[in-house]
Amino acid sequence: MNLVTHAKGAAGFLHRFEGLRERLPGARLPWLAALRDEAAEAFRAQGFPTRRVEAWKYTDLQPVAAAGFDEPLTPVDDALDLPPARAGARAVFVDGRFRADLSSLDGLPFAAGALAQRLDALAGRLGALARPAEEPMAALNTMLFEDGLLLELPEGADGGVLELLSLATASERPAAFHPRHLIRLGRGARLTLIEAATAPEGARYLHNPVFEIELAEGARLTHGRLQEEAARAFQLATVYARVAAGATYDNFTLNAGGRLVRNEIHVALVGPRAACHMNGAQLLAGEQHADTTTALEHAAPSCTSRQTYNTVLMGRSRGVFQGRILVRQAAQKTDGYQMNRALLLSPEAEMDSKPQLEIYADDVKCSHGATVGELDPEQVFYLRSRGIPEGRARAMLVEAFLHEAVEGVTDEPLRRALDAAVAGWWARQEEGLAA
Amino acid sequence: MLKIEGLTAEVEGKPILKGIDLTVPTGEVHAVMGPNGSGKSTLAYVLAGREGYAVTGGSVTWDGRDLLALEPEERAAAGLFLAFQYPVELPGVGNATFLRTALNAIRRARGEPELDAMQFLRLARERLRALSMPEEMLKRSVNVGFSGGEKKRNEILQMALLRPRLAVLDETDSGLDIDALRIVADGVNAMRGPDFTALVITHYQRLLDHIVPDRVHVLVDGRIVRSGGPELARELEREGYAALQAQAA
């Protein structure tokens, strides 16, 4: 661990903030200027966390701190190679900036667009959930965000499926961008948001998004996150969600790309019978490091939470799962479940797993479990005894393990997108193994 | 013809098979009976090529081929099928996918054309009907949530689809009620013919009422201590293994 590097890396961003302060979007809004200043103070105080910070015990941000980032360049209107759309409606961000010309948001029955255009209307809402004083990456985001997606669904609206595509471009020096996405669903509103992050191979950048998600009574948001960043990229994402009575927040995160990735999710269930499903799969190979950290707060009675994360590790990759469930005294009849499984396909891969339950209510059903293991030789033998060659037998078992993580996803478009991403990843690994 | 000569094997350094000599002519069904711990399952696993079952001496040939030199999947392609005593659960692997992958792997190894999904489904349905198994069993994960009897029937379904020339049934009768036992036995009997050879391993004579063997061999402490006709099974049922065990000791 190199504390000097961590400090230098943080100083670079603070310096950038000083230089950009007057030019950042919303600089003339006093509430936003104050928010950014506070965030800068918080980031100055914390810097890039080292592994001495409990929440970052297994993930060292040294490579991020040492990278030395530049501002994303002014967009060049080169023809961009967009992946095929996953839904009819699509919001496209390139290097963290909204691109109306590439997006298709016309005719939606709700407000969707660039956050930077609407900052004057967001006092008291932007920053309502994020906690820069606790999460340094949220501090960095608050300090420097330029844009993001603003989504507001009125009461009862059915938003269908919307894709949020984040594309990074390749540049000489690594760029950093910190999009801030604000999503609010009114009572009973529904939406499936499929978020995809990708870039051309070889691109180096830091993608540091923060989501603030508010779900009113009975609303339902299905939030799929397909992280397929470029192989040398960093993604450090922080999601905050506040779920009211009877509402459901469904998050599925696929971590398949990137060099160093953290998927941090904070969910508060604040009304009775609110529900949260946080599931995910991490597919790691080579030198990849991926960290899923969840913090789930049961603050109201009769809420349900389900978490299942499956990680497959090859090469010298490292996986981390940290899952905290806090059940407050008021949260009687809580039903909580958390499971994380890791499949190690290489003797050099490593998985760290830290579940944490804190329960202050007495009438609670809460369980958690973790398994780390290799492929079961008995299962491999069973398949081989039926004539299936060893390589194929192992592949079938890995596919089954991955399938298990995805099968809980009931939303069809998201399920299709995930199946395709998982199958694609595994096909690439098999090619790599065969080569 | 299956020919086992002087076969010795150990598990975790402990000798289990201590010199087995056994010949099963092509087209015959032989039973291997023995008390617990006599090495019956070890013999089955050694024939199928399971890791951790180390052959320390002797030979096994199948139609003149050295079976022990083959990988488990090559043995399957050569016509061998082991019905497991404890069929393995494969969460997330659909039974239909599993069966079709296995069938096509074996067909490919034999130089036969692979079956597409429709052709496979037609064949699987036909075999299911013959075994009084519901079609729904194809949709479930392999053996997951199956009752003991369903698991055993699933083994027989695999055998009926893969059509091995040499089947080793390891205590396929254990945990079966009489109806399931009859279905399993019918499944095996339906395969009998001049090109089907089988070794039926069992603790009890019960299964052998339904699958009548050509020969019965008694395995005690890693050796075949007696061989005889089907009447030997009934004798053992009456008198138990104690006398033979005392003799072997």
Side-chain angles (χ1 to χ4, degrees), chain A residues 379 382 384 386-387 390, chain B residues 71 73 82 89 105 155 158:
Chain A
Q379 295 182 334
Y382 191 61
R384 294 180 72 190
R386 299 307 183 239
E390 185 174 9
Chain B
E71 295 293 336
E73 57 268 34
L82 168 65
E89 297 186 4
E155 294 291 288
Q158 292 167 42

Side-chain angles (χ1 to χ4, degrees), chain B residues 182-237:
Chain B
R182 206 164 280 142
I183 289 168
V184 165
D186 289 349
V188 176
N189 288 330
M191 305 265 313
R192 289 181 89 154
D195 198 33
F196 179 75
T197 308
L199 207 53
V200 179
I201 294 174
T202 180
H203 186 101
Y204 303 105
Q205 176 246 343
R206 191 172 74 138
L207 179 66
L208 304 182
D209 287 341
H210 301 276
I211 306 172
V212 180
D214 296 297
R215 297 280 291 167
V216 174
H217 309 275
V218 185
L219 184 65
V220 172
D221 192 28
R223 288 187 188 89
I224 303 288
V225 296
R226 246 185 101 182
S227 297
E231 71 288 346
L232 178 56
R234 245 158 265 136
E235 183 192 320
L236 284 169
E237 189 72 6

Side-chain angles (χ1 to χ4, degrees), chain A residues 45 50-51 105 134 142 147 163 184 224 277 309 315 329 345:
Chain A
T50 67
R51 293 180 54 192
L105 297 171
E134 276 80 24
T142 306
D147 207 345
E163 180 183 359
R184 184 158 71 173
H277 309 131
Y309 287 92
Q329 200 169 3
L345 296 180

Side-chain angles (χ1 to χ4, degrees), chain A residues 297-314:
Chain A
E297 179 187 348
H298 279 266
S302 306
C303 293
T304 311
S305 64
R306 293 278 175 277
Q307 300 182 58
T308 307
Y309 287 92
N310 282 10
T311 304
V312 175
L313 300 103
M314 305 176 73

Side-chain angles (χ1 to χ4, degrees), chain A residues 227-235 256-261 284-285 287-289:
Chain A
Q227 184 279 109
E228 297 181 285
E229 304 279 17
R232 295 161 76 197
F234 308 112
Q235 188 193 94
R259 159 76 184 80
L260 191 163
V261 169
L284 310 178
E287 305 282 335
Q288 281 181 292
H289 178 113

Side-chain angles (χ1 to χ4, degrees), chain B residues 220 241-249:
Chain B
V220 172
Y241 292 108
L244 289 167
Q245 276 171 296
Q247 251 174 42

Side-chain angles (χ1 to χ4, degrees), chain A residues 308-327:
Chain A
T308 307
Y309 287 92
N310 282 10
T311 304
V312 175
L313 300 103
M314 305 176 73
R316 278 194 293 274
S317 62
R318 282 195 64 167
V320 178
F321 174 80
Q322 306 186 96
R324 177 168 179 253
I325 301 178
L326 167 65
V327 181

Side-chain angles (χ1 to χ4, degrees), chain A residues 20-35:
Chain A
L20 285 174
R21 212 164 162 271
E22 303 304 320
R23 286 180 288 146
L24 283 168
R28 262 163 300 183
L29 299 169
W31 64 269
L32 184 51
L35 200 67

